[in-house]
Amino acid sequence: MYDQILLPVAPGGEANDAIPHAASLAERYGATVHVVSAADTAVDTLAGPRTGAFSDRLVDAAEERVEAVTAELEEAGVETVGDVVRGEPLDVIENAIEDGADLVVMPSHTRQGIRRLLLGSVTEKVVRVASVPVVTVPMTDPTDEGDREPADQADREPADDGDATGGRGASDGQ
């Protein structure tokens, strides 16, 4: 059913909960995973003496990320191809689909409200324009992790550890 799975990764990114999903789908269908990172260097829109250095660092970060993800997938026995492409992420993904990807697997940050509106999402754009199925894998925003309790603890009473807040942090409920 699927022969070419596209797995976009962000330059310099670390976690990507979509990787094991891409690996599982590739194993199930005997597909090749194409790991791609878009290096949106903005060379055409920025001017100045440091633009080249920034662009080089971005490309280097993208190459490191693609190498790390392809190594992880190959270690799991998945046939993998990696590539870094200069350009805007949506364009890079659309071009990869035109080149034969028949499934896209990518993370989706769980932003809500104004952050979602202002920051936008490459994943949301891909879902809207892709001519192939897109599997989105929710990822936790690292800036929100401190605000969340594990599901099994959410319904429990706060522990009384003898402090004046009754087991709550100073900013909770005050």
Side-chain angles (χ1 to χ4, degrees):
M1 178 173 239
Y2 302 113
D3 297 317
Q4 308 296 323
I5 298 173
L6 179 63
L7 177 63
V9 296
E14 292 178 14
N16 184 335
D17 295 340
I19 296 169
H21 290 272
S24 177
L25 289 164
E27 289 171 4
R28 178 176 179 141
Y29 294 108
T32 300
V33 176
H34 293 264
V35 180
V36 66
S37 186
D40 190 3
T41 58
V43 171
D44 295 332
T45 58
L46 295 177
R50 296 190 182 182
T51 301
F54 170 76
S55 174
D56 292 343
R57 285 194 309 271
L58 184 61
V59 170
D60 290 346
E63 289 172 350
E64 288 175 16
R65 184 67 180 134
V66 167
E67 288 172 11
V69 173
T70 55
E72 180 180 338
L73 290 167
E74 287 171 350
E75 202 172 286
V78 175
E79 186 176 332
T80 309
V81 175
D83 197 16
V84 174
V85 179
R86 289 180 187 251
E88 195 275 322
L90 183 60
D91 293 338
V92 169
I93 294 167
E94 285 181 307
N95 289 338
I97 292 169
E98 288 174 14
D99 289 344
D102 44 21
L103 178 70
V104 180
V105 179
M106 59 191 307
S108 175
H109 294 279
T110 55
R111 295 184 183 109
Q112 296 179 349
I114 193 73
R115 291 179 66 202
R116 180 177 178 187
L117 178 67
L118 294 176
L119 297 175
S121 167
V122 172
T123 302
E124 286 184 56
K125 293 173 188 170
V126 171
V127 168
R128 283 195 303 264
V129 303
S131 59
V132 300
V134 179
V135 175
T136 61
V137 180
M139 288 186 54
T140 304
D141 188 344
T143 60
D144 291 342
E145 280 192 20
D147 297 337
R148 296 184 184 188
E149 292 183 53
D152 64 332
Q153 292 181 4
D155 296 327
R156 294 186 196 164
E157 290 294 319
D160 183 10
D161 58 3
D163 70 359
T165 64
R168 293 175 289 166
S171 62
D172 292 344
Q174 292 185 6

